[in-house]
Amino acid sequence: MLILQGWKDIERGVEVTPAFGNQINITYNGLLSKSGADRVFLHCGYGDPNNWRDVTTMQMDRTARGWEKNVPMKNHTLAFCFKDSANNWDNNNGYNWIARI
């Protein structure tokens, strides 16, 4: 069984925690959220963080904690960033974020 070590990037408003089964929960309360975004999307891909595969963009759910989305871990590495409905991006100053198991 593979285990994800949860983590928080408090400064940028990102948290990754294990979820049910082979999924992780990503919570976002960063720049876009603080700028009044009406919708936030998780943009992510699997494998090499410099060469994403199976790239997808999913609308996140607004919760009391911020914007959240459960994502399946199809690979040992998930790279991700965020965008809003006005196509403004938060990509961690070009470094994106990485979840590994």
Side-chain angles (χ1 to χ4, degrees):
M1 180 174 167
L2 303 172
I3 298 174
L4 168 82
Q5 190 71 22
W7 55 264
K8 288 182 185 181
D9 181 344
I10 296 169
E11 183 179 335
R12 303 215 188 278
V14 176
E15 181 178 3
V16 175
T17 54
F20 181 75
N22 193 33
Q23 295 195 30
I24 62 171
N25 179 268
I26 298 173
T27 304
Y28 177 74
N29 199 14
L31 178 65
L32 301 174
S33 183
K34 290 177 177 21
S35 297
D38 64 337
R39 290 184 294 156
V40 173
F41 299 86
L42 174 70
H43 182 72
C44 60
Y46 298 90
D48 179 352
N50 296 312
N51 187 23
W52 300 12
R53 292 188 315 269
D54 297 328
V55 177
T56 188
T57 302
M58 302 173 266
Q59 186 168 332
M60 300 182 79
D61 301 314
R62 187 188 304 253
T63 71
R65 297 181 61 220
W67 298 90
E68 295 190 66
K69 191 69 177 174
N70 281 353
V71 181
M73 286 299 290
K74 297 179 184 177
N75 190 297
H76 295 287
T77 304
L78 175 76
F80 61 94
C81 60
F82 306 93
K83 73 179 201 106
D84 66 15
S85 58
N87 214 31
N88 297 304
W89 290 80
D90 185 351
N91 64 2
N92 194 19
N93 292 321
Y95 293 100
N96 299 308
W97 286 272
I98 311 272
R100 289 190 169 98
I101 53 174

